[in-house]
Amino acid sequence: MCATTSCSMKNYRAVRGTRDILPDEVPRWQFVEATAREHLHRYGFREIRTPVLEGTELFARSVGASTDIVRKEMYTFSAGDESVTLRPENTASVVRAFVEHSLHRTATHEYPERLYYIGPMFRHERPQKGRQRQFHQVGVEVLGSASPLADAETLQMLWSWLARLQIRGLTLSINSVGDATCRPGFREALRAWLLPRLPQLCEDCNRRYAENPLRVFDCKVEADRALLGDAPTLLDLLCAPCRAHFDEVQALLRGYEIPFTVDGRMVRGLDYYQRTVFEVTSSALGAQNAVLGGGRYDGLVEELGGPPVPGFGFALGIERLLLLLPEGEGAAAPLDVAVIALGTDGFAAAVSLTRRLREGGVSAVMPLAERPLSAQIRRAERQGARFALFVGKDEVAAGRYGLKDLHTGEQREATLEDVVGAASGRIHVG
Ligand code: HAM
């Protein structure tokens, strides 16, 4: 410790845009993750864990070289003679793994491979509420099926999970961004519309016009956004198969009674999408209002060297979801027992008793040095322990201990076996 103000000791802090998730917050995270796992299991999803590091080229190829993510937001560095990137998203990695391990062999149109992941992503964006440089996603990828039912069923799974979490006030917006047949025509129509307006648009939009005009819809400049509000949408130019797919997705969503709006200008910030795209937003979130986003990416597996396997998925931002999760959800599991050691003899006995409680499946703590009774009780209450177990010389001789229910205040004598039973809720004190 430094005693003087001239102390030169550095105060280390978490890197800007990253944060520590402290023990008091973790139960809410675990709650979201556990309900996600349980819910996804019901729908036949299996977890996949890919590395956080990938070859840089993977993202340029899939997310797209002209996207903001690849142009400005990736954490890229060289290690040896390799250029590697901390994943800014995980669809590319999952598809890379899918191809690398030939998972397509068992994924069919009728029985697609349903995968999910939970983990950190990294984007060098300007931090603000709901936007960090390290953030966490729950994501799913359904690989193999081109059916509109894959889109709708996955959205139904999502909607019922959000309902279980009691997240309210959400809006589902959907759109179709067409495919390789109809998008080139739209790109040209958009270019023609943009051309006379280029002088009014920002420098970035002028670059987008040349590189990939659809990306103008990513523009954050207010004046540009207002102008682009009148731009043509792809919905008017969809080819017949894309139109049929989009109509069927909407019909299925209505069948599932999932409310949605069609937003013809939503293109999403990643290049791999084809046909359906969607976002779920909440007005309670402020500027960064997207809780999740996703869509169909039928060309991506091929683009990354695999066979023509269609895909559909989404990713949800856990930090943003937590901002919407009702207060009481995700409470910490209480500690079962605080062992209160009375005197030196009690302390020695408490050490072995605590061990036996733990071996019996009970969560139990005791101080690691002798402490006054009052201090131990205060601590037990602060730790939210369910029971206090008093261990002194007499109790050890009798094999019976004072067991106090800290919720009700009731107290009685109990054996070790009783305590194990009480802690697991099988018997009640009193
Ligand atoms: P995305 O829209 O880039 O899609 O990200 C999905 C979600 O991640 C966002 O809706 C948001 O909740 C969260 N998110 C994104 N950036 C940040 C940030 N800087 N800070 C906090 N949260 C953030 C994808 O990542 C696609 N891979 C989704 C997908 C899966 N599409 C198909 N399959």
Side-chain angles (χ1 to χ4, degrees):
M1 282 285 283
C2 277
T4 66
T5 47
S6 61
C7 173
S8 63
M9 202 157 102
K10 189 168 161 50
N11 284 321
Y12 292 102
R13 304 185 70 89
V15 170
R16 188 164 131 79
T18 73
R19 57 184 288 272
D20 303 305
I21 302 161
L22 298 175
D24 280 348
E25 304 170 71
V26 167
R28 275 165 75 80
W29 283 77
Q30 289 177 334
F31 173 73
V32 167
E33 291 162 8
T35 57
R37 287 181 199 287
E38 198 276 325
H39 197 74
L40 286 159
H41 180 67
R42 287 191 198 180
Y43 286 76
F45 283 83
R46 303 191 298 154
E47 185 175 1
I48 183 164
R49 302 184 182 196
T50 57
V52 290
L53 271 184
E54 293 281 353
T56 305
E57 176 58 25
L58 175 71
F59 300 109
R61 192 70 190 259
S62 54
V63 174
S66 65
T67 59
D68 283 357
I69 294 178
V70 172
R71 289 189 61 252
K72 335 188 230 199
E73 295 170 4
M74 297 209 301
Y75 283 90
T76 294
F77 52 96
S78 47
D81 52 6
E82 245 185 317
S83 174
V84 292
T85 293
L86 288 175
R87 63 183 183 194
E89 62 102 54
N90 208 29
T91 308
S93 313
V94 169
V95 170
R96 195 251 327 121
F98 183 82
V99 173
E100 187 171 335
H101 304 285
S102 301
L103 300 184
H104 53 81
R105 284 210 210 102
T106 49
T108 64
H109 181 64
E110 299 79 9
Y111 298 103
E113 181 70 80
R114 295 181 174 90
L115 301 171
Y116 79 90
Y117 47 85
I118 300 177
M121 310 291 153
F122 305 85
R123 296 184 194 174
H124 195 267
E125 296 187 82
R126 196 168 49 77
Q128 62 182 83
K129 183 176 172 228
R131 190 162 73 192
Q132 289 164 230
R133 291 178 173 173
Q134 176 177 334
F135 60 98
H136 300 78
Q137 290 184 341
V138 174
V140 313
E141 312 296 348
V142 179
L143 288 142
S145 175
S147 169
L149 186 55
D151 309 23
E153 190 201 58
T154 306
L155 283 165
Q156 192 282 324
M157 178 280 290
L158 164 68
W159 212 245
S160 75
W161 177 43
L162 293 171
R164 281 181 74 188
L165 291 175
Q166 305 201 49
I167 313 280
R168 303 196 202 289
L170 298 175
T171 305
L172 168 65
S173 308
I174 65 170
N175 190 22
S176 175
V177 291
D179 65 5
T181 308
C182 48
R183 204 155 31 189
F186 174 67
R187 204 173 279 139
E188 285 326 303
L190 183 61
R191 268 211 181 98
W193 185 89
L194 287 169
L195 186 61
R197 295 169 176 85
L198 285 178
Q200 289 152 268
L201 290 167
C202 72
E203 206 176 297
D204 257 357
C205 279
N206 277 265
R207 177 188 51 77
R208 291 169 175 135
Y209 167 83
E211 279 177 16
N212 182 358
L214 258 76
R215 295 265 69 93
V216 296
F217 294 110
D218 298 338
C219 185
K220 313 252 164 24
V221 178
E222 257 332 300
D224 288 20
R225 291 179 76 86
L227 190 80
L228 291 166
D230 295 328
T233 76
L234 205 120
L235 284 182
D236 309 319
L237 297 172
L238 287 182
C239 60
C242 285
R243 164 57 59 198
H245 186 98
F246 194 46
D247 287 347
E248 181 62 13
V249 169
Q250 293 182 59
L252 288 165
L253 289 178
R254 282 188 206 102
Y256 280 130
E257 297 180 10
I258 297 174
F260 64 90
T261 57
V262 174
D263 175 357
R265 288 200 174 73
M266 187 196 350
V267 293
R268 311 257 309 119
L270 307 98
D271 275 354
Y272 48 61
Y273 292 115
Q274 284 197 12
R275 298 196 166 166
T276 318
V277 290
F278 65 97
E279 275 180 2
V280 172
T281 53
S282 164
S283 53
L285 280 179
Q288 300 307 313
N289 64 355
V291 186
L292 63 96
R296 180 161 279 290
Y297 47 88
D298 291 349
L300 184 58
V301 178
E302 257 181 307
E303 185 70 32
L304 297 182
V309 175
F312 180 88
F314 70 82
L316 168 143
I318 302 182
E319 282 84 355
R320 293 187 193 174
L321 183 76
L322 285 170
L323 291 171
L324 302 172
L325 190 70
E327 274 286 317
E329 296 289 343
L335 186 69
D336 294 326
V337 173
V339 178
I340 311 286
L342 307 170
T344 305
D345 294 342
F347 185 79
V351 171
S352 88
L353 194 73
T354 305
R355 177 174 64 82
R356 283 154 68 201
L357 284 172
R358 290 167 176 163
E359 284 170 359
V362 175
S363 60
V365 291
M366 63 167 288
L368 297 185
E370 286 184 41
R371 297 285 292 143
L373 176 65
S374 58
Q376 292 188 64
I377 303 259
R378 263 201 314 279
R379 184 70 187 203
E381 283 167 352
R382 195 164 344 123
Q383 283 179 313
R386 182 70 217 278
F387 297 103
L389 185 72
F390 297 90
V391 185
K393 199 170 161 194
D394 298 345
E395 285 82 355
V396 175
R400 300 183 72 79
Y401 313 93
L403 180 67
K404 183 174 182 182
D405 184 326
L406 293 174
H407 290 186
T408 63
E410 283 166 297
Q411 186 163 348
R412 64 157 189 157
E413 281 194 348
T415 63
L416 179 72
E417 289 68 35
D418 294 337
V419 179
V420 172
S424 59
R426 287 189 290 275
I427 61 167
H428 297 282
V429 176

